[in-house]
Amino acid sequence: MDGVEEQYKISDPRVLKAVTHPLRVRLLGLLRRDGPATASELARKVGESSGSTSYHLRELFKFGFVEEDDERRDGRERRWRSRHRYTSWDAAEMTATPEGREAVRIMHLRQAEMVGRALGEFDLADWPRAWVDVSGMSDHMLTLPPAALREFAGRAEALVRELADRHAGDPDARQVQVWYGAVPRSPGQEES
């Protein structure tokens, strides 16, 4: 995705809230994953009307998440692309207000929904053994201080970038969704 900025760092809860709509999250994810598309192309992928996807793309545009792709313009219809590879925010700053806490909470739920959708669409029968052996998820219940989670996130991010750079151009490489996350368990919280 040439010309795409690395990250969109949000500090306004209203901007984050704008992208928490379920369809907007999906549209932005598709543009980031698959590249530029028209509202009609995206509508077919998500099972919505092109009017609906067009409206939500304009909302994403209004808040700076997407832009028109002038390089690959479709004569009849706007072609949209993501402006950034990913979105980030400072959790402490964002959650300083009730509106910010709500936006972050909803965004976390949308992220979890996207993980669930990706895992639900992943069929092991469609992949060779090499991919089956390395695909999946794991979870760990650890006792750690905040500094350890900060270290984990930093090292995971560095490792992901290093691996992507090292294997760029590898003929066996495929687009892979990698997730990591950690939240403290509240005292007395039931196992899920």
Side-chain angles (χ1 to χ4, degrees):
M1 292 187 344
D2 292 331
V4 175
E5 297 168 35
E6 189 64 18
Q7 74 172 309
Y8 185 17
K9 181 129 182 169
I10 298 173
S11 59
D12 184 342
R14 293 170 297 192
V15 175
L16 183 59
K17 190 172 183 183
V19 79
T20 62
H21 185 282
L23 184 53
R24 290 180 201 156
V25 170
R26 289 185 71 194
L27 295 174
L28 183 57
L30 286 167
L31 291 173
R32 286 177 175 169
R33 185 186 77 196
D34 299 339
T38 66
S40 296
E41 291 166 343
L42 291 166
R44 285 190 291 277
K45 287 183 179 182
V46 298
E48 294 283 336
S49 72
S50 60
S52 176
T53 56
S54 182
Y55 167 77
H56 288 292
L57 286 164
R58 287 191 309 274
E59 288 297 300
L60 288 169
F61 172 77
K62 183 165 81 174
F63 288 97
F65 290 95
V66 301
E67 63 189 3
E68 286 189 55
D69 184 12
D70 292 329
E71 295 171 13
R72 294 171 40 191
R73 194 163 182 87
D74 183 319
R76 302 174 316 277
E77 194 174 1
R78 287 182 186 168
R79 184 165 289 281
W80 298 95
R81 70 179 186 176
S82 172
R83 290 188 55 207
H84 317 91
R85 293 185 198 286
Y86 67 94
T87 304
S88 68
W89 57 87
D90 180 313
E93 176 185 7
M94 191 64 71
T95 60
T97 66
E99 182 182 34
R101 282 191 297 280
E102 180 68 6
V104 170
R105 186 186 71 75
I106 293 170
M107 194 65 201
H108 285 163
L109 293 174
R110 294 293 176 257
Q111 290 169 318
E113 288 169 7
M114 292 190 75
V115 170
R117 184 179 299 110
L119 290 172
E121 293 170 357
F122 178 65
D123 186 347
L124 294 169
D126 294 340
W127 293 91
R129 176 71 190 252
W131 283 105
V132 171
D133 287 346
V134 297
S135 298
M137 291 186 74
S138 63
D139 63 355
H140 304 271
M141 186 63 70
L142 306 172
T143 303
L144 299 171
L149 288 184
R150 184 172 288 109
E151 179 184 349
F152 170 75
R155 289 172 65 180
E157 186 67 29
L159 179 60
V160 164
R161 290 182 189 287
E162 185 256 317
L163 291 170
D165 290 345
R166 185 171 7 130
H167 295 283
D170 185 320
D172 292 331
R174 299 291 178 269
Q175 220 175 37
V176 177
Q177 292 178 295
V178 176
W179 307 284
Y180 64 85
V183 293
R185 184 170 176 249
S186 300
Q189 179 179 342
E190 303 242 351
E191 287 292 323
S192 48

